[in-house]
Amino acid sequence: WISMLVVAQAHKRTGVGSFALAQAESLLKEKGFSRVGIQTTKDNLPARAMYRKMRYTETISLDTDRCFYEKPL
């Protein structure tokens, strides 16, 4: 799991988050991981849109405040 990905306000919507996530995915794949997961709060719509755009699938969660996503590597 990637526990936290934060982009400074001044750099949001510039591709920094997507770039960082892609780099993390590459490193995890090199290390032999077959899946990656990430979570965000339900009200973080930009992050949720980015995860979907990067082909993450939302998983079922009993948590009412968070969304969980997974992706095969």
Side-chain angles (χ1 to χ4, degrees):
W1 281 91
I2 297 172
S3 67
M4 188 175 294
L5 173 64
V6 179
V7 176
Q9 189 66 36
H11 299 288
K12 289 187 179 189
R13 306 204 52 83
T14 65
V16 170
S18 298
F19 177 80
L21 195 51
Q23 292 299 307
E25 290 172 6
S26 292
L27 179 63
L28 291 168
K29 192 171 185 177
E30 282 179 25
K31 298 290 184 182
F33 289 87
S34 61
R35 300 187 73 70
V36 61
I38 195 163
Q39 64 178 326
T40 189
T41 55
K42 287 195 174 183
D43 63 349
N44 191 344
L45 301 180
R48 293 176 69 187
M50 179 182 71
Y51 301 150
R52 285 190 301 271
K53 183 178 179 182
M54 293 185 72
R55 302 183 188 272
Y56 281 76
T57 302
E58 189 168 355
T59 61
I60 297 172
S61 171
L62 299 177
D63 192 320
T64 58
D65 298 324
R66 298 197 159 277
C67 296
F68 297 85
Y69 293 86
E70 286 186 333
K71 178 181 177 179
L73 296 174

